[in-house]
Amino acid sequence: MFRLLFFINFLFFVSSTSKESIHIIEDLPIGTSIYTFYTEGCKTENSTGTYRFVDSQKNSNDFFLIDPYTGRVTTKKLIDRDDFCLRRMCSCSKCEVTLEVLCVHTGQIFFNDLSVIIDDQNDHAPQFPKSSVTIDVLENVPVGYVIPIDVASDPDYGNNSIQGYKLVEDNSTGKNYTNRIQQAFQLDYSKKNDLLALRLMKVLDRELCDSLQYIIQAYD
């Protein structure tokens, strides 16, 4: 018996282009066009190749769609930068995801990488753990005494996150309004360590004033 074996090799020409980078703002409306691939060699006068994501199961690809015939990329879901950061889909300091795209045309494969940098917008307000807190302090504590305070939280990043705090005296409703101790406390805040505290600046006298009321404002 004579056997004739055929070995057929399918040859593909593979090409890649340099990585491009774009910026988009978070929470773009679904269907927003953010980029269109124009891959050299993937379109001729008579025919056009087809585009698709290299890995359709990649988490970031759940948020984008690519038109197979035009190479146009649009948003598929609302993109929350803070959520991406919490889910470790991108770095919190620079939220960058890479879309890996290929285009197949007449037996040739063209690879394209697009870096999408998601910029934060100030869409959250600072929130304290509690709306009000009562603190008991002995009248004989020394000047300089420090009372730690819970900081506020803000999921926004960078300049859109908490930048500082302000202490406002609110003693007009106290029963010893006329005898209140003005500027008895100051606010100490370490942004580096994210620590907040009240520091006593004047001697307390319970007979003169038995309570003080303040409003602490966090601003971003």
Side-chain angles (χ1 to χ4, degrees):
M1 180 186 293
F2 178 76
R3 293 181 178 177
L4 184 62
L5 301 178
F6 290 91
F7 294 93
I8 303 176
N9 294 322
F10 295 92
L11 301 177
F12 290 92
F13 176 74
V14 179
S15 176
S16 62
T17 59
S18 58
K19 185 177 182 179
E20 299 210 27
S21 179
I22 63 169
H23 285 257
I24 65 171
I25 195 73
E26 64 173 339
D27 295 328
L28 287 174
I30 295 172
T32 300
S33 177
I34 63 167
Y35 188 81
T36 300
F37 286 95
Y38 296 102
T39 306
E40 186 178 351
C42 204
K43 184 177 181 180
T44 63
E45 239 181 81
N46 302 319
S47 62
T48 302
T50 56
Y51 291 89
R52 68 175 178 85
F53 291 124
V54 174
D55 182 4
S56 60
Q57 302 302 313
K58 191 174 180 181
N59 287 337
S60 58
N61 292 344
D62 288 341
F63 292 83
F64 300 96
L65 287 173
I66 185 166
D67 188 300
Y69 303 109
T70 64
R72 186 167 67 108
V73 180
T74 57
T75 55
K76 182 180 177 182
K77 299 178 182 178
L78 287 178
I79 298 171
D80 187 335
R81 185 191 188 279
D82 309 310
D83 181 59
F84 270 44
C85 170
L86 289 173
R87 293 166 59 184
R88 299 177 183 252
M89 292 175 61
C90 68
S91 167
C92 292
S93 59
K94 182 182 180 182
C95 189
E96 180 180 11
V97 296
T98 299
L99 301 181
E100 298 173 322
V101 172
L102 63 82
C103 182
V104 180
H105 182 234
T106 61
Q108 301 179 77
I109 301 177
F110 301 88
F111 286 94
N112 302 265
D113 285 349
L114 176 66
S115 170
V116 182
I117 300 169
I118 304 166
D119 294 327
D120 187 40
Q121 63 177 342
N122 196 356
D123 54 352
H124 296 92
Q127 296 286 335
F128 284 96
K130 297 179 181 178
S131 59
S132 64
V133 177
T134 300
I135 301 172
D136 293 323
V137 182
L138 295 174
E139 67 174 342
N140 61 348
V141 295
V143 171
Y145 182 76
V146 173
I147 305 169
I149 302 292
D150 288 334
V151 296
S153 61
D154 186 341
D156 290 321
Y157 192 80
N159 291 333
N160 292 331
S161 65
I162 294 172
Q163 299 300 302
Y165 295 84
K166 184 179 180 181
L167 185 67
V168 180
E169 293 188 354
D170 184 31
N171 300 314
S172 58
T173 58
K175 66 179 182 179
N176 291 332
Y177 169 68
T178 56
N179 296 324
R180 73 186 188 278
I181 305 172
Q182 295 186 4
Q183 299 178 344
F185 289 91
Q186 76 172 24
L187 207 56
D188 289 352
Y189 174 57
S190 170
K191 187 175 180 180
K192 180 180 179 181
N193 300 315
D194 197 25
L195 295 175
L196 182 66
L198 286 172
R199 182 181 296 275
L200 182 63
M201 303 303 295
K202 293 184 177 180
V203 174
L204 298 176
D205 186 339
R206 189 179 186 280
E207 284 68 37
L208 179 66
C209 181
D210 61 3
S211 67
L212 295 167
Q213 297 180 38
Y214 293 95
I215 296 173
I216 298 178
Q217 299 173 342
Y219 58 90
D220 56 4

